[in-house]
């Protein structure tokens, strides 16, 4: 069957690849110049290549204009920047975002604004302090794990807010796009650091060099970490590859508790595992920051030993 997916965000990409792998002829339409526009361009490129390898036709820079139907023939008309194009389909999946349904609960009667989401403060309270919100209705993140994270703060503040309130902490919030390969990130990526004018160093490790990835025939992808100049403290990490969401947990833990890459490098990882990629990227950072004077001293020492 011909499946048309509108929207090149995480949900659109996940479902487009899923239907393609199940045997549908899938066309993915995205208005932006590339897929997953919040990720670094190289991440988008890897994902587009993976989708196309699975048979998905990817159309970026294409704006949806209207749906048409003539008899049993249904189509979406798009503008690709130079001319209009008609795409016929059997099933149409619109994945351009979602908004919570907030009307009909009496919130308006209490003076609580009902828009795209409920306005809440840093303690997850609405303008009526004993009404708190968590999850998609509160935003800003539409992730199940973000909702669970917020729910803890909302519950504690609801029960003990009269004594002490706790601000919701979003500083280290991971997210994963469940495509093949998976795409997982925590903290800053390169394009966000550049947009915010944050100085950083980028260290990268290719999964094609990892023994477990080679054995599993999943060498596509990389681990990329951002650190302040001269420091091993993590500002962010992006992983593209098999089980990327699982691998990210170690880096998210390190960020949350201020553990640098040297601590990860000093942690023994089982061989052969995908998790070794985190140790290898830490080792790459360490090699790049080895003091030249110490290397020179070691060279002279061993030369003296040999003589």
């Amino acid at each position: 069957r011909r499946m048309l997916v509108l929207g090149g965000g995480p949900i659109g990409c996940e479902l487009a690849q899923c239907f393609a792998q199940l045997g549908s002829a899938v066309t993915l339409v995205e208005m932006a110049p590339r897929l997953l526009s919040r990720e670094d361009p190289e991440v988008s490129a890897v994902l587009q290549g993976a989708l196309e390898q699975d048979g998905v036709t990817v159309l970026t820079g294409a704006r949806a204009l209207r749906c048409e139907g003539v008899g049993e023939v249904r189509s979406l008309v798009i503008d690709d920047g130079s001319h209009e194009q008609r795409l016929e389909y059997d099933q149409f999946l619109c994945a351009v975002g979602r908004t919570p349904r907030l009307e009909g609960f009496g919130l308006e009667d209490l003076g609580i604004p009902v828009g795209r989401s409920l306005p809440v403060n840093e303690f997850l309270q609405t303008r009526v302090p004993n009404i708190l919100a968590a999850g998609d209705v509160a935003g800003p993140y539409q992730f199940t794990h973000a909702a669970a994270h917020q729910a803890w703060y909302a519950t504690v503040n609801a029960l003990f807010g009269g004594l002490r309130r706790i601000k919701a902490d979003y500083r280290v919030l991971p997210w994963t796009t469940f495509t093949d390969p998976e795409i997982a990130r925590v903290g800053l990526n390169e394009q966000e650091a550049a947009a915010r004018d944050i100085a950083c160093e980028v260290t990268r490790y290719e999964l094609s060099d990892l023994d477990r990835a080679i054995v599993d025939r999943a060498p596509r992808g990389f681990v990329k970490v951002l650190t302040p100049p001269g420091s091993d403290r993590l500002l962010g990490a992006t992983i593209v590859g098999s089980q990327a969401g699982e691998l990210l947990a170690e880096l998210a833990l390190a960020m949350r508790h201020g553990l640098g890459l040297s601590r990860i490098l000093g942690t023994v990882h089982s061989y052969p595992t995908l998790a070794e990629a985190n140790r290898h990227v830490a080792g790459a950072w360490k090699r790049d920051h080895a003091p030249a004077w110490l290397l020179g001293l070691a060279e002279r020492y061993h030369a003296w030993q040999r003589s």
Side-chain angles (χ1 to χ4, degrees):
R1 298 179 65 83
R2 296 168 300 178
M3 170 72 69
L4 183 62
V5 179
L6 180 62
I11 295 176
C13 291
E14 290 170 351
L15 292 177
Q17 188 177 48
C18 177
F19 282 111
Q21 291 177 344
L22 290 172
S24 296
V26 180
T27 299
L28 176 61
V29 178
E30 168 56 39
M31 184 170 62
R34 58 185 177 87
L35 304 175
L36 299 186
S37 57
R38 292 186 177 181
E39 304 296 339
D40 289 334
E42 62 178 328
V43 175
S44 300
V46 171
L47 177 59
Q48 181 166 339
L51 292 177
E52 291 174 341
Q53 186 175 341
D54 283 335
V56 178
T57 300
V58 179
L59 302 177
T60 55
R63 185 165 60 94
L65 300 178
R66 61 188 179 274
C67 290
E68 295 182 347
V70 179
E72 295 184 357
V73 178
R74 294 174 292 179
S75 60
L76 173 71
V77 179
I78 64 171
D79 180 358
D80 64 5
S82 59
H83 64 284
E84 290 188 3
Q85 183 179 353
R86 183 171 282 97
L87 305 174
E88 295 184 2
Y89 62 85
D90 297 309
Q91 297 293 331
F92 181 36
L93 176 63
C94 186
V96 293
R98 62 188 188 274
T99 56
R101 181 176 298 174
L102 301 173
E103 298 177 352
F105 300 100
L107 297 172
E108 307 94 322
D109 300 335
L110 298 175
I112 299 176
V114 176
R116 291 182 61 86
S117 62
L118 288 180
V120 295
N121 62 15
E122 54 198 355
F123 306 106
L124 298 175
Q125 295 172 303
T126 65
R127 65 181 300 172
V128 179
N130 64 329
I131 297 179
L132 296 89
D136 289 5
V137 297
Y141 305 101
Q142 294 183 328
F143 306 138
T144 302
H145 56 276
H149 182 66
Q150 288 179 317
W152 183 87
Y153 290 96
T155 301
V156 171
N157 288 333
L159 293 173
F160 306 106
L163 300 175
R164 180 173 180 265
R165 296 178 300 171
I166 305 175
K167 297 179 181 179
D169 184 359
Y170 306 111
R171 289 175 298 170
V172 183
L173 186 68
W175 61 80
T176 302
T177 301
F178 293 97
T179 49
D180 180 16
E182 289 184 7
I183 297 167
R185 177 159 69 92
V186 64
L188 294 175
N189 60 16
E190 286 190 80
Q191 70 175 7
E192 288 177 341
R196 294 165 59 178
D197 198 25
I198 297 176
C200 64
E201 296 178 347
V202 179
T203 306
R204 181 185 177 109
Y205 175 75
E206 299 290 339
L207 294 183
S208 57
D209 289 333
L210 185 66
D211 289 354
R212 178 59 181 267
I214 295 170
V215 170
D216 286 350
R217 298 182 180 178
R220 179 172 51 192
F222 55 85
V223 180
K224 181 170 62 173
V225 295
L226 275 63
T227 53
S231 170
D232 71 342
R233 179 174 58 86
L234 286 165
L235 295 174
T238 297
I239 303 178
V240 177
S242 176
Q243 301 296 314
E246 307 290 341
L247 299 181
L248 189 70
E250 181 178 26
L251 300 179
L253 177 71
M255 279 192 66
R256 181 67 180 84
H257 296 285
L259 303 176
L261 291 172
S262 296
R263 294 293 183 89
I264 294 177
L265 180 61
T267 300
V268 178
H269 293 66
S270 298
Y271 174 89
T273 60
L274 293 174
E276 281 192 298
N278 293 333
R279 183 176 65 83
H280 286 311
V281 77
W285 182 91
K286 196 73 171 180
R287 288 191 298 273
D288 291 341
H289 293 80
W293 67 268
L294 185 58
L295 293 176
L297 181 62
E299 182 180 7
R300 291 194 297 273
Y301 169 75
H302 289 294
W304 173 74
Q305 285 282 79
R306 289 193 298 271
S307 65

